Amino acid sequence: MVLALGVFVSLSYSKDEKPTHYSAVIDNSQSPFVKLRCIPMQDTKLTEGFWAKRFNLAASKMLPALEKAMLGDCTANLNRIQRAAGLIDEHQHGSPWGDGDNYKWIEAMAHVYNLNKNPHLDKKMDEWIEIIGKAQDPDGYISTNIGHDKSKRFQRVNAHEMYNMGHLLTAACIHYRVTGKDSFLDIAKQNADFLYKQWKAEPVKMARFPWNPSAFMGMAEMYRTTREPKYLELLQIMIDNRGSRPNPDRNHAYGGTDQTQDRVPLRQETLAVGHAVTGNYFYCGAADLYAENGDKEILLALERIWKDIHEKKTDITLGVAMDRHSESLSPRGDEVHENFANEPYLQPNLYSETCANIGTGMFNYRMFMLTGDAKYADWTERMLYNTLHSGVDLQGERWFYCNPVSWDGTEGDKIKQTNGKNPNRLVSGHRSGLRWEFMNCYCCPPSVTRTTANIHNWFYNISDDGDLWINFYGGNRLSTTLADGTKMALTQTTDYPWEGRVKVSIDEVNNHKPISLHFRIPSWTENPIVTVNSNKTDIHPVPGSYMEIYRYWSPGDEIILDLPMPIRLMEANPKVGKLRNKVAVMRGPVVYCLELPRQESGEAIINKGVFLPENIQLTPEYRPAFLGGVTVLKGQALTHEGKKAYIRNNNAIDSQSADAWIEGELYRAIRQNSRSALIQGNVEVELIPYYAWANRGLAYMDVWIPLAR
Ligand SMILES: [Zn+2]
């Protein structure tokens, strides 16, 4: 397939020829304490298949949809920056965190520009950067919800000033790395210098102010871009300060509580608590700090928190945030919302904010680079094929804030927009059964767009011993320089995630020496096979690890991975009470769901009951014209009546498997026993990828389907 939008320019530079701004999306190229390093953003080009299509959608549809919303009366109101710049007079509404979401939009443009070199994007970024420069105060501060009155700065912890400025820092670094222009970076330097002075002057006050600490990741990248030591010093101060001023007031609005992970200092923390977006951004920033300073206590804390999330609190889709509508208390008694579950095994089923889920993927990918442990890459992949795409419709123009794994066919929340240009227009609330263009909290759409537009940067890593690590699969071409100076180019060809066959062709290698290529063997595969130049190897790939192939490589060499994708019925640890006797269906990295659109008699089918017999035979079928091209799973399920007959005929028991669970295991595939064929009460079902739900009008949807066994 040839992409319709833009031409991917294949750039290849030797190590010495590369312009200085060329660097990675997470630039840990000089970080002393990482096992794996990102490669420059310019080195991976998408070519065809799933990821090229998603990138194309981000470039052609998502970016314009964001711009339209942000120039309209969306709460990430771009006009507020114009007003702060003195270009317009009109009062503009917007959320406190709107600036941050505007900067994420610019970052997304930079990622798209990195691949398609569309001059209109370059010009648009230049125009907005100029306006941002005019909106910035002379001392470097900028947060348009506060304005230019210095007395109003840092008065309310939930004013999101650090969220806004943090996303500015990140977006400016990415813009510089992509374009080589220092216009945005200069603004960011002034801002980072301001923050340094502010924190040095009032460290006690500032301890509570990074309500949503995107500034931690932003400051790490500012240090990496400029090598300015004070930016790393400030990152260390910000991480150390968090939790240093616990608040006697338990109200989350005042800071110093579990809501923003600042009741307990990080090094003493054992739990994932509080707001799941702020938490993940904090953990990412702390991982970035560990990459620079090697403070083992930080890594140990992050490993404890990671286990708490992935062994007790995530849904199978990597959805992690609980409902904001049920204001609740953390284990230490603080008010929290949009939070990691307050108790283990209370899966978030109905909420799971898109930003929080993507943030968990960002945390996983950083942990992978710190440790080289394949389990983190496996969980990163869970986000890539599920909750990232569920946040946007298949046209790339309508969005979800919440990513429930069950839906009752209703419209869900509806609220009346009371501010902005169209006060009577109804827009959706957080929990919705219909995707929306506008919402009163617009953080998720730019998160989906910037992540979709740059995720190919996570496909490969290099290590200091000259090895190349291949993490994720999708049609692309890589041309990079390994740590020992070897120039290497290769092409991946695959129909992943619909098929598990991946062909890697070596296009160029300029060094006559053996090189190790490490291929990720996902934990979900069984009996994978690898061939090199059509010859079987004596390597036995182990699911859930990386397979190393060490040999001399030449142009024309071809490695083929065959990763079988058995359809798995996944059950939850019985401690997750609400998921007992239910299964989720996975094939490869993709989580499936049963969606029954109301317009297709969904209610009638629901009323008759849908149960999966444990010996169900599901058949994969790729349908190119359905839901943007997906593999569906078809099979015969049971109605209420059929379930009774099935259990009676097979002397089966209608209960959870009694097999012992491995310590820390949250989800596992069930063993399918042989049972007699179904004779009555059948209903034909067609499961679709979870991410593609809510594209056929209002619907009943379940990831977790009742099981008959
Ligand atoms: Zn969000």
Side-chain angles (χ1 to χ4, degrees):
M1 185 199 78
V2 177
L3 279 181
L5 238 218
V7 176
F8 292 152
V9 182
S10 182
L11 297 170
S12 58
Y13 295 85
S14 79
K15 205 169 189 178
D16 297 334
E17 291 169 332
K18 281 180 180 167
T20 52
H21 66 270
Y22 271 40
S23 66
V25 65
I26 301 167
D27 183 10
N28 53 14
S29 59
Q30 298 180 61
S31 304
F33 298 97
V34 293
K35 292 252 168 56
L36 302 171
R37 304 185 190 282
C38 281
I39 60 169
M41 294 174 67
Q42 291 78 6
D43 288 3
T44 312
K45 313 292 177 195
L46 295 170
T47 52
E48 61 181 11
F50 183 88
W51 287 106
K53 281 166 71 176
R54 298 302 297 187
F55 175 87
N56 203 10
L57 196 67
S60 63
K61 297 293 181 63
M62 295 186 211
L63 276 184
L66 294 185
E67 185 176 12
K68 179 182 168 196
M70 290 170 158
L71 285 172
D73 53 2
C74 156
T75 51
N77 195 304
L78 272 167
N79 294 339
R80 204 165 64 187
I81 299 178
Q82 293 173 311
R83 182 170 187 260
L87 302 176
I88 58 174
D89 252 348
E90 188 184 346
H91 174 73
Q92 300 294 338
H93 71 285
S95 64
W97 50 89
D99 287 7
D101 301 328
N102 296 150
Y103 302 141
K104 280 191 283 183
W105 169 62
I106 295 176
E107 185 193 333
M109 270 195 278
H111 288 304
V112 169
Y113 179 72
N114 181 44
L115 287 199
N116 75 6
K117 296 292 183 283
N118 180 339
H120 298 296
L121 289 181
D122 192 29
K123 185 163 173 281
K124 198 184 291 284
M125 288 190 287
D126 285 346
E127 288 168 358
W128 277 103
I129 289 164
E130 188 179 343
I131 296 170
I132 293 164
K134 287 178 181 164
Q136 186 174 33
D137 284 340
D139 64 358
Y141 177 92
I142 177 169
S143 190
T144 67
N145 59 323
I146 301 301
H148 301 297
D149 182 350
K150 286 187 181 181
S151 70
K152 292 183 178 170
R153 295 177 183 174
F154 302 115
Q155 298 302 308
R156 294 176 294 115
V157 294
N158 56 355
H160 283 73
E161 290 150 278
M162 297 295 288
Y163 174 85
N164 292 334
M165 291 185 264
H167 281 300
L168 182 149
L169 302 178
T170 300
C173 288
I174 297 299
H175 178 260
Y176 172 72
R177 290 168 190 174
V178 167
T179 66
K181 298 179 185 179
D182 50 17
S183 51
F184 206 3
L185 188 61
D186 282 345
I187 293 170
K189 281 182 193 165
Q190 290 179 52
N191 184 243
D193 291 346
F194 162 80
L195 290 172
Y196 180 80
K197 282 184 201 154
Q198 175 68 26
W199 280 75
K200 292 294 265 190
E202 298 187 275
V204 175
K205 175 183 175 183
M206 292 305 292
R208 285 186 190 162
F209 272 87
W211 169 268
N212 191 332
S214 48
F216 297 1
M217 284 182 281
M219 201 56 71
E221 294 309 324
M222 283 299 290
Y223 167 67
R224 291 162 171 174
T225 304
T226 65
R227 309 308 297 177
E228 172 60 67
K230 70 183 176 189
Y231 298 155
L232 180 59
E233 181 193 345
L234 178 53
L235 172 60
Q236 170 106 37
I237 292 170
M238 291 192 293
I239 298 279
D240 290 349
N241 265 10
R242 207 160 179 85
S244 65
R245 282 189 66 208
N247 199 333
D249 192 324
R250 298 282 173 173
N251 185 331
H252 64 73
Y254 301 113
T257 75
D258 277 338
Q259 168 68 359
T260 47
Q261 298 81 34
D262 57 0
R263 176 163 296 288
V264 175
L266 175 66
R267 291 173 184 78
Q268 298 165 26
E269 186 57 275
T270 57
L271 302 171
V273 291
H275 197 284
V277 179
T278 73
N280 279 317
Y281 287 4
F282 177 30
Y283 310 144
C284 287
D288 288 342
L289 178 60
Y290 172 80
E292 304 302 330
N293 74 4
D295 180 343
K296 269 274 189 281
E297 281 189 77
I298 291 178
L299 183 62
L300 289 171
L302 293 176
E303 286 173 344
R304 289 193 298 270
I305 291 165
W306 184 91
K307 283 165 77 82
D308 194 42
I309 297 171
H310 296 81
E311 296 181 359
K312 296 173 182 170
K313 294 178 177 173
T314 179
D315 215 315
I316 198 164
T317 54
L318 203 59
V320 292
M322 304 296 282
D323 195 342
R324 76 186 280 267
H325 299 292
S326 57
E327 204 78 47
S328 59
L329 296 182
S330 75
R332 293 182 283 253
D334 290 338
E335 283 183 18
V336 291
H337 69 260
E338 299 191 309
N339 52 292
F340 292 110
N342 292 323
E343 295 173 34
Y345 311 114
L346 288 177
Q347 272 30 25
N349 292 54
L350 293 177
Y351 204 71
S352 295
E353 178 187 345
T354 307
C355 290
N357 308 336
I358 292 173
T360 313
M362 293 160 66
F363 177 31
N364 268 291
Y365 185 53
R366 281 168 169 78
M367 292 298 283
F368 171 65
M369 290 192 290
L370 296 183
T371 64
D373 189 332
K375 74 181 179 191
Y376 299 118
D378 256 359
W379 276 104
T380 305
E381 186 182 61
R382 193 70 65 92
M383 179 273 281
L384 294 189
Y385 292 101
N386 299 291
T387 39
L388 169 59
H389 308 299
S390 64
V392 61
D393 75 346
L394 297 172
Q395 277 68 48
E397 294 174 328
R398 291 173 182 267
W399 315 90
F400 266 165
Y401 186 99
C402 291
N403 298 272
V405 292
S406 178
W407 195 252
D408 61 3
T410 64
E411 289 187 22
D413 291 349
K414 254 188 166 183
I415 60 166
K416 200 172 197 177
Q417 184 95 331
T418 54
N419 50 11
K421 291 174 184 168
N422 299 308
N424 295 318
R425 184 163 51 74
L426 289 175
V427 297
S428 174
H430 290 69
R431 284 195 315 188
S432 172
L434 292 172
R435 297 174 183 277
W436 39 261
E437 285 178 78
F438 298 87
M439 216 270 275
N440 67 337
C441 180
Y442 202 72
C443 52
C444 296
S447 290
V448 172
T449 308
R450 71 170 180 158
T451 308
T452 303
N454 98 85
I455 209 69
H456 55 279
N457 290 306
W458 297 10
F459 281 19
Y460 300 96
N461 287 113
I462 55 174
S463 48
D464 289 350
D465 46 12
D467 295 0
L468 178 68
W469 297 67
I470 304 173
N471 307 318
F472 305 114
Y473 302 118
N476 72 86
R477 183 167 191 273
L478 171 76
S479 176
T480 198
T481 307
L482 305 181
D484 63 1
T486 301
K487 192 173 170 185
M488 191 159 205
L490 56 81
T491 301
Q492 264 195 53
T493 312
T494 179
D495 286 328
Y496 203 91
W498 312 124
E499 298 299 334
R501 186 181 177 87
V502 180
K503 183 171 85 175
V504 174
S505 310
I506 306 297
D507 301 325
E508 183 181 358
V509 54
N510 74 343
N511 212 341
H512 191 64
K513 55 179 277 196
I515 293 169
S516 279
L517 302 185
H518 300 255
F519 295 85
R520 190 173 70 87
I521 308 299
S523 58
W524 44 255
T525 192
E526 291 175 5
N527 304 314
I529 295 170
V530 56
T531 59
V532 177
N533 297 333
S534 302
N535 300 314
K536 277 199 171 179
T537 68
D538 55 4
I539 299 169
H540 297 289
V542 178
S545 72
Y546 275 74
M547 171 189 68
E548 180 177 2
I549 306 181
Y550 177 71
R551 54 169 279 162
Y552 289 92
W553 298 102
S554 305
D557 283 346
E558 209 171 78
I559 307 104
I560 293 182
L561 295 183
D562 265 311
L563 305 171
M565 292 181 159
I567 296 168
R568 294 164 301 146
L569 269 50
M570 306 294 294
E571 64 181 351
N573 190 306
K575 292 174 182 169
V576 187
K578 62 186 169 191
L579 297 182
R580 276 174 175 256
N581 299 323
K582 292 182 176 181
V583 285
V585 181
M586 292 187 70
R587 178 174 182 269
V590 178
V591 176
Y592 280 78
C593 71
L594 174 67
E595 185 185 40
L596 300 170
R598 276 173 40 171
Q599 61 189 7
E600 297 173 23
S601 308
E603 190 167 356
I605 299 169
I606 285 280
N607 288 339
K608 285 187 177 174
V610 179
F611 298 82
L612 298 190
E614 69 168 2
N615 64 342
I616 188 169
Q617 296 299 311
L618 288 163
T619 307
E621 178 183 313
Y622 182 70
R623 293 176 56 187
F626 182 54
L627 298 175
V630 294
T631 292
V632 300
L633 306 180
K634 299 173 87 162
Q636 294 288 320
L638 302 171
T639 61
H640 284 289
E641 178 198 357
K643 180 194 169 192
K644 284 181 198 162
Y646 175 80
I647 289 176
R648 193 169 55 242
N649 292 349
N650 289 293
N651 293 320
I653 49 168
D654 185 16
S655 67
Q656 191 89 14
S657 158
D659 295 347
W661 282 73
I662 296 169
E663 173 76 23
E665 196 174 24
L666 188 52
Y667 302 108
R668 70 179 181 190
I670 68 167
R671 278 185 293 135
Q672 288 183 268
N673 295 312
S674 59
R675 305 284 193 198
S676 62
L678 312 175
I679 48 174
Q680 57 185 310
N682 294 358
V683 55
E684 192 162 314
V685 291
E686 181 178 87
L687 306 181
I688 64 166
Y690 165 70
Y691 77 78
W693 91 279
N695 282 283
R696 294 181 285 172
L698 285 173
Y700 300 86
M701 185 278 290
D702 272 307
V703 165
W704 291 98
I705 306 169
L707 178 70
R709 70 157 107 211

